[in-house]
Amino acid sequence: QVQLVESGGGLVQAGGSLRLSCAASGRSFSNSAMGWFRQAPGKEREFAAAISWSGGGVGYADSVRGRFTISRDNAKNTVYLEMNSLKPEDTALYYCAARQSTSWRSLVTAYDYWGQGTQVTVSS
């Protein structure tokens, strides 16, 4: 079992930045690929970014590539999402997820554990 707790969300103006954190506890974090997903009201949950167990492999959705950066610190059992040049369309509930594999995937169904989410609101 893995417990995930997100933090760092908030209200920011368009063009601003936020850094999300996801603290993991329980099962070995360093063997798990991690992902960030987001869900806007009335929409399905969608992939934003993911990272392999070692941090050597990362992936991004086209909508965030070049603006968001995912990273992890296995010594701290934490994964981060640095978000820059935020747009109103980035407004969503952001979820951290872990999968019982070392390699990352972009599918929601590939992940086994989920946090409760942290709200990001970008005003225009």
Side-chain angles (χ1 to χ4, degrees):
Q1 197 74 344
V2 175
Q3 292 78 44
L4 304 171
V5 179
E6 304 96 334
S7 61
L11 174 64
V12 63
Q13 289 188 332
S17 299
L18 283 174
R19 188 193 197 200
L20 306 184
S21 297
C22 173
S25 60
R27 184 181 174 272
S28 178
F29 172 78
S30 61
N31 293 330
S32 299
M34 303 293 295
W36 284 99
F37 293 77
R38 63 186 186 181
Q39 188 167 17
K43 295 188 177 181
E44 293 186 352
R45 192 168 301 188
E46 65 176 13
F47 171 71
I51 189 167
S52 66
W53 72 278
S54 66
V58 296
Y60 298 96
D62 289 343
S63 58
V64 307
R65 187 176 290 113
R67 299 187 298 121
F68 290 11
T69 303
I70 188 170
S71 62
R72 66 189 294 161
D73 185 338
N74 287 345
K76 296 182 178 180
N77 285 1
T78 302
V79 63
Y80 305 97
L81 186 67
E82 185 75 34
M83 306 186 296
N84 298 314
S85 302
L86 283 162
K87 305 175 182 179
E89 51 263 44
D90 294 318
T91 295
L93 189 60
Y94 282 70
Y95 295 92
C96 174
R99 63 186 306 252
Q100 298 183 76
S101 173
T102 58
S103 57
W104 69 268
R105 293 289 185 271
S106 62
L107 293 175
V108 170
T109 53
Y111 289 79
D112 304 291
Y113 304 101
W114 294 84
Q116 294 299 307
T118 185
Q119 179 67 39
V120 172
T121 303
V122 184
S123 63
S124 57

